[in-house]
Amino acid sequence: MSSVHIFVTVDDIKAIAPGVDQSLIEDTVRPYLLPAHKIVAAIIGVPLFNDISEERDTDARKYLVTAIVNRVMYDYKLFETVQKRQTGSGDTFKYELQAMQEAYLGYYFDAIDSLIAELNASPDTYREWKQTRAAKTLDSLLLKTTEEFNACYGIDSSDYFFFSSIFLQEKVIDKYISGMDLTTLTEVMLRRIKGVVATLTVAYALRQFDFTMLPRSLRNASADGAYRHASSEQNDMYELSEYLFTQGEAELEQIRFALSTPEAGSDMPSENNLNDPRQKFFLFS
C-alpha cells in the first residue's frame, strides 16, 4: 500500500485557516500534519489523494488543502489554548474554544463535501474515485445520491456523510429490507421504505462514527450547550440513536402490516377461513 504524501505546510495553514497566529512555526504543528493527511486520505483513497496533491491550481487540490488545513487547526487549537494558559500568554473561555473548534470543523466538512462533489462531477479525470468500493456499491442501494438521502433525512446535503455512510446503508438494507419485493410497491410505500432506510442509517452512524464525521445538524443535536463535554456528547448521541432505531423499526412494522393487509372484499388468509365453501361450518346471521 502506498504511503500518504505529506504536502501541506505551515505556510498553507497561515494562508488559509482563519485566526491563525502568524508566528506559528512548522515544528509546532508537525505532530498534527500526518494525522490530518491520513484522515483525509482515508476518505478518498491514498492513491487518489497522492495524485491530487501533485496537481497545480485545480479545484480538487484547493479543496484537499483546505480540508487538511482546517482539520489540523481543529486538533491543534486545544493544544494551543492550553499552552497559552500555562505560559500566561493568554486565556480562553471554554465556550470560545468550542466555538473556534466548531468553526474549523465546519470549514473542514465543507471542503470535504466540495472535494467529493468535484470527484463525482469529473469521472473522466478522477477514474480512481469510481473504482472505490463505496462508489461501486451505489447501484445496490435504495438511496443512491446525497440529495435523495437528504430528502428522507436531513444531513445538510453532505456528500461526505453520504459516502461515509454507504456501508451502513448497505447493512440496513441487508438486515431490514432484504426479502421485500420493492418492485411491487406503490410510490408512497417506497418513499416510506426509503425514509426507514435513511433513519436507521443515521441511527447506526451516531453509534459508529466519530463526532467529526457527523454533519452540523447531527453534531448540534448531540450538543449540550456551551459546557458540553465528551461524555455528554457520547450519551446524547447514543440516546438519539436509540430514538431513531425505535422510530425506524416501528415505521417498518407499520409498513409490513399495511403490505400484509388484504384488499377490501378479499378473503383473509387463514388456515380456518370460515368463508371458504370447502369448510364444514358456516356462520349465519
Side-chain angles (χ1 to χ4, degrees):
M1 181 179 177
S2 57
S3 59
V4 176
H5 178 205
I6 309 301
F7 68 100
V8 172
T9 67
V10 69
D11 290 333
D12 293 320
I13 295 174
K14 290 191 285 189
I16 296 174
V20 175
D21 188 341
Q22 293 302 304
S23 64
L24 188 67
I25 60 175
E26 192 88 22
D27 289 344
T28 305
V29 295
R30 185 174 291 118
Y32 303 92
L33 285 172
L34 177 58
H37 280 74
K38 291 177 71 174
I39 288 171
V40 178
I43 296 170
I44 64 174
V46 175
L48 181 55
F49 176 94
N50 289 341
D51 288 346
I52 295 175
S53 72
E54 296 174 357
E55 295 178 352
R56 290 292 178 268
D57 299 325
T58 63
D59 288 339
R61 190 180 191 279
K62 179 182 68 176
Y63 299 140
L64 191 67
V65 173
T66 302
I68 295 171
V69 160
N70 283 286
R71 179 68 202 213
V72 167
M73 289 306 301
Y74 171 80
D75 292 326
Y76 169 70
K77 202 64 186 177
L78 177 60
F79 169 81
E80 180 190 52
T81 301
V82 173
Q83 184 184 47
K84 285 184 176 181
R85 186 174 68 243
Q86 290 176 340
T87 59
S89 58
D91 205 355
T92 304
F93 290 108
K94 184 176 182 179
Y95 75 89
E96 294 176 322
L97 171 61
Q98 290 176 342
M100 287 186 286
Q101 285 188 304
E102 177 63 27
Y104 285 127
L105 187 56
Y107 297 141
Y108 161 76
F109 224 94
D110 290 342
I112 293 293
D113 281 344
S114 298
L115 174 60
I116 293 177
E118 178 66 19
L119 298 179
N120 286 331
S122 308
D124 294 334
T125 303
Y126 304 107
R127 291 188 176 91
E128 288 180 337
W129 173 246
K130 291 300 181 182
Q131 296 307 310
T132 60
R133 182 170 178 266
K136 290 180 178 179
T137 305
L138 284 175
D139 289 339
S140 65
L141 300 180
L142 268 179
L143 306 171
K144 302 179 188 299
T145 66
T146 303
E147 292 74 16
E148 192 173 11
F149 196 114
N150 194 74
C152 296
Y153 194 104
I155 55 171
D156 301 342
S157 299
S158 172
D159 291 315
Y160 177 26
F161 179 83
F162 173 75
F163 275 89
S164 298
S165 64
I166 280 177
F167 305 119
L168 295 181
Q169 186 185 158
E170 188 178 34
K171 178 179 180 179
V172 168
I173 292 172
D174 290 343
K175 182 175 180 179
Y176 293 94
I177 309 299
S178 61
M180 297 181 66
D181 186 1
L182 302 182
T183 61
T184 63
L185 300 184
T186 64
E187 183 178 343
V188 172
M189 200 62 73
L190 184 59
R191 187 164 59 246
R192 290 178 64 184
I193 289 286
K194 289 181 177 181
V196 168
V197 171
T199 299
L200 294 176
T201 299
V202 172
Y204 274 114
L206 287 166
R207 291 191 178 184
Q208 298 186 27
F209 282 5
D210 181 76
F211 185 75
T212 59
M213 297 175 66
L214 300 174
R216 184 176 285 108
S217 59
L218 291 179
R219 295 199 304 272
N220 291 343
S222 63
D224 185 23
Y227 299 99
R228 71 179 192 268
H229 47 83
S231 60
S232 68
E233 285 175 352
Q234 187 176 16
N235 290 336
D236 290 344
M237 289 167 63
Y238 186 84
E239 288 178 4
L240 178 56
S241 173
E242 279 289 292
Y243 172 77
L244 293 179
F245 272 120
T246 300
Q247 292 292 104
E249 291 172 352
E251 172 69 358
L252 186 59
E253 283 302 310
Q254 291 181 16
I255 292 171
R256 285 175 173 160
F257 178 78
L259 293 176
S260 65
T261 302
E263 297 180 1
S266 62
D267 290 340
M268 176 72 74
S270 170
E271 294 181 359
N272 298 300
N273 187 349
L274 299 180
N275 291 323
D276 190 337
R278 292 171 295 180
Q279 294 289 344
K280 295 181 180 180
F281 302 97
F282 297 89
L283 291 180
F284 296 92
S285 58

